[in-house]
Amino acid sequence: RRLVTQFAEAVVQPPASTQLTVTGAGAAPGKYELTVNGNDSETVLGTSLNVNVSSNLPAAASLLLPADGATEVSTVQPLYWSAAAGAQGYNVDVATDAAFTKVIASGAGLEETVFSLPASLQPGAQYFWRVTTVNACGEAASVTGSFLTAADECTLVASQDTPVFIPDDEVITVSSTISVSVGGVVSDVDVIALRGLHTWINDISMQLEGPLNANSRSPASQERPVVQIMNQSCDDEDDFELNFDDEAPPGPWPCPPVGAGTYQPSNPLAAFDGSFGDGDWVLRVSDAFALDGGQLDSWGLNICVTPVPQVPGNDGDGDGISDDADNCTLVANPSQRDTDSDGYGNFCDPDLNNDGAVNFADLALLKQEFFATGDLDADFNGDGAVNFSDLAIQKALFFQPPGPSALAP
């Protein structure tokens, strides 16, 4: 049970080509790596090829995070889904409409079960997403999930240690620090009220450093995120007074850069998006030449934050669904079947009248459906029929609430 390879012509006279045929009949499903070598009398050159072999269509993936219908979702939330049987890759689509006619982000051929969006989502907006499982036999689409992002919370903070003197007799870098406490992770940051005096402005460049351990995706990192916001520019003009915003109209700032206008920085401030906002932000002003000096009079930040992104937690019931996305956290239910759409999976929801407690009223409703078949609320275990197995599930939760569930309101 292995792959069989054959060249149409094993020997060719260059310039020429030949065709390699790979036959996988009977080979075990999986990924195979082939090495193809070509040689003449003096040189051997090789290349690697990956061949995927499948025997059946893949299973559909289950969407994990954000949970379907979730609100207050971080605008930098990665998307997580469960591994699917037979998968050799995953395609992800994120759209602003349920028909996916307005796809705003996508990933193809992913091997991991997580997709980090290339840019922050819009705050206070609804999004739809789906995952398509792919293998050599075809593909299977997940259900469509939707979520609502949280509104940004923006805070203005100003420097308290300015003015900072820039001497005229040495090449030097001076700094000013703003301590920030905003909570959440950065979704947008602007530099505001950047103002100072300096003769021959071309001597000056500036960089902004975020807080230490600021990367929310790698919290153990010991490096500050750093952005060069102002390269050396203009010429012998004096002074500066401007604001930096990635969303400002494109184009150069004036020379000298005064007038309190708003411009795009030399490098995008979006490098801070997704990092923790709390801590010390440091502005460093470098003077590349002696003889000209001045001072940094003021600067500030407009920091907008979004909730900290969720990550999959423990899977206490071992069904492949993270506890923070599971509609029955104590009972294995990989299908996440929830026929009455109340946030509780059928496996842990014998509360048929949805009054918050399992009691004799629910037992009476179960009796009415006994031996009935179909996709019924009272078919707790999903075997297609209401029977003694479902009665046992109801008895186990008698005089208790349904659940527990991470998705119930």
Side-chain angles (χ1 to χ4, degrees), residues 158-162 164 174-180 208-209 224 279-284 296 299 301:
S159 61
Q160 301 297 316
D161 60 358
T162 50
V164 177
V174 301
S175 65
S176 172
T177 300
I178 296 177
S179 295
V180 172
L208 179 64
E209 298 181 1
R224 295 178 183 270
D280 290 340
W281 293 72
V282 181
L283 178 69
R284 301 193 186 277
L296 171 65
W299 71 288
L301 298 171

Side-chain angles (χ1 to χ4, degrees), residues 263-355:
Y263 308 97
Q264 292 185 359
S266 297
N267 295 283
L269 290 160
F272 296 109
D273 291 358
S275 65
F276 290 114
D278 289 349
D280 290 340
W281 293 72
V282 181
L283 178 69
R284 301 193 186 277
V285 181
S286 297
D287 189 344
F289 296 93
L291 303 179
D292 292 277
Q295 67 182 33
L296 171 65
D297 284 332
S298 71
W299 71 288
L301 298 171
N302 181 30
I303 298 183
C304 299
V305 296
T306 187
V308 176
Q310 290 182 291
V311 296
N314 296 326
D315 178 16
D317 56 14
D319 61 2
I321 310 299
S322 168
D323 286 347
D324 50 13
D326 197 342
N327 63 17
C328 285
T329 57
L330 301 181
V331 182
N333 62 330
S335 70
Q336 295 288 283
R337 182 169 165 268
D338 178 13
T339 55
D340 61 0
S341 302
D342 64 350
Y344 294 101
N346 284 55
F347 255 110
C348 60
D349 187 20
D351 176 22
L352 294 174
N353 63 359
N354 292 325
D355 65 355

Side-chain angles (χ1 to χ4, degrees), residues 360-373:
F360 290 104
D362 304 300
L363 178 60
L365 292 173
L366 178 70
K367 290 174 62 178
Q368 293 177 17
E369 301 288 341
F370 221 70
F371 296 130
T373 59

Side-chain angles (χ1 to χ4, degrees), residues 367-383:
K367 290 174 62 178
Q368 293 177 17
E369 301 288 341
F370 221 70
F371 296 130
T373 59
D375 191 21
L376 304 171
D377 292 350
D379 177 19
F380 306 133
N381 65 359
D383 64 358

Side-chain angles (χ1 to χ4, degrees), residues 54-77:
S54 301
S55 58
N56 294 291
L57 287 171
S62 296
L63 307 185
L64 299 182
L65 289 175
D68 188 32
T71 61
E72 300 296 311
V73 173
S74 173
T75 58
V76 293
Q77 172 68 51

